[in-house]
């Protein structure tokens, strides 16, 4: 026997919880499966080392889902400027919210804050059933839908399954969807640091020989860092004593923040370019890291995932209102066309930037920096890049435009 829903979402992280919230607001009967339920409260220290730079579009999605107040209560950190430097060639780009109609460019938010606030909303949605612990062990087709078998023998059926279960997605593998991609030979080292000088509510990024070093401002005055390094360098830096690591970080920052005073726990994760060869299969759609993994140098991974969540929810809810199949071929193809092209453009741009800034030839460094200076002085082009980075572009899902889709 199996329990039946309209949609099953595998993965209760940021993307999966956002899908479940949107569908729940629209009255869709949803099962959200995850191995564990997330923490909702925690002590003030230490700060989570995994943070995201959420764009204006992502903020709108989370506001419409009613998660934003819970995020603000737990803590969000606005950034009002962004400065990008080429350490080798000396070029600089400066973006300022004063050049837009908004009071900030975006927010730095701990990932756990976003997830906890989304699960708070799920508590209020009667049509959403959260099932934890739940580990999927198999997927099979049934007439008009799909069945997911858990490793404890339970079976759940639905018209549609949404795989939001991360870069190593089991649902993607079980559906036979391959991936294209490559390892960068780099790791992203993350930590929270205390600096002598203020971050000035500015996101800073300095392109170094091994990769970019980003300082993301936190509301308590500290910075979250994301330091892209060769894999062997990252592992060596993890093994350093705090004082030695801070000395290396201070040198890499070129005095932007004065002395590096303290560092919290450090971690590093391998960086990869990867996309699913298809975002959909029969009665299945992929979203977030299950569909695409991009270089973190512009911090767009979480934002792309939230746009996926908003898009798949919108097409499902349109089908429900029209009393059509929630997993029809045209519906799934529309979702894939909507999101795959946009994601590949973003991924390709990040990959190209990483490669261009990794070239050390002096002539190219000078040309690269001259190009940065030209963009910085080109008002219309700079404004386009600024708005694109804020997620304010064409063909956004309704939630990202601040509108309901239910």
């Amino acid at each position: 026997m199996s329990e039946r829903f309209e949609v099953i979402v595998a993965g209760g992280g940021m993307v999966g919880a956002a899908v479940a919230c949107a569908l729940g607001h629209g009255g869709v009967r949803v099962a959200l499966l995850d191995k564990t339920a997330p923490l909702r409260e925690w002590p003030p220290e230490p700060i989570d080392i995994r943070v995201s730079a959420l764009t204006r579009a992502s903020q709108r999605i989370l506001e419409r889902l009613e998660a934003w107040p819970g995020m603000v209560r737990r803590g969000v950190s606005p950034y009002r400027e962004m400065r990008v430097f080429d350490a080798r060639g000396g070029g600089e780009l400066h973006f300022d919210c004063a050049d837009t109609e908004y009071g900030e460019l975006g927010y730095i938010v701990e990932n756990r804050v976003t997830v906890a606030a989304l699960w708070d909303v799920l508590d209020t949605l009667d049509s959403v059933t959260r099932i934890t612990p739940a580990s999927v062990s198999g997927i099979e087709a049934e007439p008009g839908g799909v069945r997911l078998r858990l490793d404890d023998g339970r079976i759940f059926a639905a018209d549609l399954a949404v795989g939001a279960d991360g870069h190593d997605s089991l649902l993607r593998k079980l559906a036979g969807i391959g991936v294209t991609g490559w390892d960068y030979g780099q790791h992203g080292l993350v930590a929270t640091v205390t600096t002598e000088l203020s971050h000035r509510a500015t996101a800073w990024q300095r392109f170094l020989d091994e990769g970019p070093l980003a300082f993301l401002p936190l509301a308590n005055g500290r910075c979250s860092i994301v330091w892209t390094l060769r894999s062997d360098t990252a592992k060596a830096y993890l093994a350093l004593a705090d004082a030695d690591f801070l000395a290396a970080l201070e040198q890499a920052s070129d005095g932007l923040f004065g002395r590096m005073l303290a560092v919290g726990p450090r971690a590093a994760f391998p960086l990869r370019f990867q996309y699913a060869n298809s975002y959909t299969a029969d009665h299945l759609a992929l979203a977030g890291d299950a569909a695409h993994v991009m270089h973190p140098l512009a911090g767009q991974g979480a934002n792309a995932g939230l746009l996926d969540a908003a898009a798949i929810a919108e097409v499902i809810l349109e089908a429900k209102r029209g009393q059509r199949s929630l997993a029809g071929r045209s519906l799934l193809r529309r979702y894939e066309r909507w999101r795959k092209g946009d994601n590949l453009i973003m991924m390709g741009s990040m990959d190209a930037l990483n490669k261009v800034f990794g070239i050390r030839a002096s002539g190219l460094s000078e040309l690269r920096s001259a190009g940065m200076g030209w963009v910085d002085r080109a008002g219309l082009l700079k404004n386009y890049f600024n708005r694109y980075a804020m997620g304010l572009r064409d063909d956004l899902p309704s939630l990202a435009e601040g509108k309901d889709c239910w």
Side-chain angles (χ1 to χ4, degrees):
M1 295 294 293
S2 62
E3 188 173 357
R4 188 169 184 88
F5 298 88
E6 291 179 286
V7 176
I8 297 173
V9 180
M14 195 183 306
V15 174
V19 174
C21 276
L23 296 179
H25 278 298
V28 176
R29 288 179 289 106
V30 180
L32 178 63
L33 312 181
D34 205 346
K35 293 179 180 178
T36 59
L39 290 174
R40 306 287 191 94
E41 302 294 340
W42 46 81
E45 296 292 340
I47 295 172
D48 191 357
I49 58 176
R50 297 299 298 268
V51 304
S52 296
L54 297 181
T55 63
R56 171 65 58 172
S58 291
Q59 180 186 354
R60 287 173 174 172
I61 292 170
L62 294 161
E63 286 174 341
R64 301 315 301 166
L65 295 179
E66 301 179 1
W68 191 251
M71 295 169 62
V72 171
R73 178 178 67 81
R74 291 177 173 91
V76 300
S77 305
Y79 63 97
R80 298 181 174 87
E81 298 179 60
M82 182 165 53
R83 291 184 176 271
V84 182
F85 303 92
D86 181 357
R88 178 172 287 272
E92 179 181 350
L93 274 170
H94 175 218
F95 299 100
D96 193 327
C97 69
D99 298 327
T100 75
E101 63 268 40
Y102 302 106
E104 59 283 314
L105 296 178
Y107 289 85
I108 308 301
V109 185
E110 297 170 72
N111 288 2
R112 65 183 178 182
V113 164
T114 306
V115 174
L118 286 165
W119 277 65
D120 287 348
V121 178
L122 292 173
D123 288 342
T124 70
L125 300 173
D126 293 338
S127 66
V128 178
T129 301
R130 289 152 298 156
I131 302 169
T132 60
S135 296
V136 176
S137 61
I139 184 172
E140 59 189 53
E142 68 170 22
V146 65
R147 284 186 292 181
L148 272 64
R149 184 182 299 274
L150 305 190
D151 58 6
D152 61 8
R154 288 179 293 171
I155 298 174
F156 298 98
D159 300 347
L160 175 70
V162 176
D165 49 343
H167 71 278
D168 199 30
S169 170
L170 179 61
L171 255 65
R172 186 186 66 223
K173 294 175 181 177
L174 291 173
I177 299 175
V179 298
T180 299
W182 54 84
D183 292 321
Y184 280 111
Q186 296 173 314
H187 274 60
L189 190 154
V190 294
T192 302
V193 298
T194 304
T195 62
E196 179 184 18
L197 301 180
S198 170
H199 54 56
R200 293 181 281 169
T202 300
W204 307 78
Q205 186 156 256
R206 193 162 187 261
F207 281 89
L208 305 167
D209 286 345
E210 291 195 21
L213 167 60
F215 286 82
L216 307 176
L218 301 175
N220 61 10
R222 283 176 278 184
C223 290
S224 177
I225 66 165
V226 183
W227 194 353
T228 299
L229 298 159
R230 288 197 311 265
S231 296
D232 56 345
T233 305
K235 292 173 184 176
Y237 280 12
L238 287 178
L240 290 176
D242 284 358
D244 295 330
F245 176 78
L246 289 169
L249 182 62
E250 188 173 315
Q251 181 179 20
S253 67
D254 195 33
L256 286 174
F257 304 95
R259 290 182 298 118
M260 297 289 149
L261 302 178
V263 61
R266 284 167 269 162
F269 52 92
L271 303 184
R272 181 171 174 79
F273 179 102
Q274 177 178 291
Y275 62 88
N277 294 335
S278 173
Y279 279 23
T280 64
D282 286 342
H283 300 279
L284 174 70
L286 302 175
D289 285 355
H292 49 79
V293 178
M294 63 187 73
H295 199 285
L297 66 84
Q300 290 297 317
N303 297 298
L306 287 170
L307 288 173
D308 292 348
I312 188 63
E314 184 166 335
V315 298
I316 291 171
L317 288 167
E318 283 185 8
K320 183 176 177 65
R321 285 195 301 272
Q323 298 183 323
R324 301 189 304 274
S325 168
L326 303 189
R329 184 177 298 274
S330 61
L331 178 150
L332 296 177
R333 289 183 63 187
R334 179 188 168 199
Y335 164 67
E336 179 159 10
R337 288 196 305 269
W338 195 355
R339 293 300 306 141
K340 192 171 187 178
D342 187 49
N343 286 332
L344 284 174
I345 289 171
M346 179 63 73
M347 294 171 68
S349 299
M350 298 307 100
D351 182 64
L353 281 173
N354 186 55
K355 288 180 167 63
V356 167
F357 278 96
I359 299 174
R360 303 184 185 184
S362 59
L364 181 58
S365 297
E366 294 168 0
L367 181 62
R368 188 173 61 209
S369 290
M372 290 177 70
W374 179 79
V375 171
D376 198 54
R377 294 186 296 272
L380 290 176
L381 183 60
K382 181 179 173 182
N383 182 62
Y384 171 80
F385 285 141
N386 197 6
R387 293 184 64 83
Y388 194 88
M390 294 171 70
L392 304 178
R393 47 191 188 264
D394 296 334
D395 200 27
L396 288 173
S398 295
L399 292 174
E401 294 180 337
K403 305 172 185 175
D404 292 339
C405 61
W406 44 81

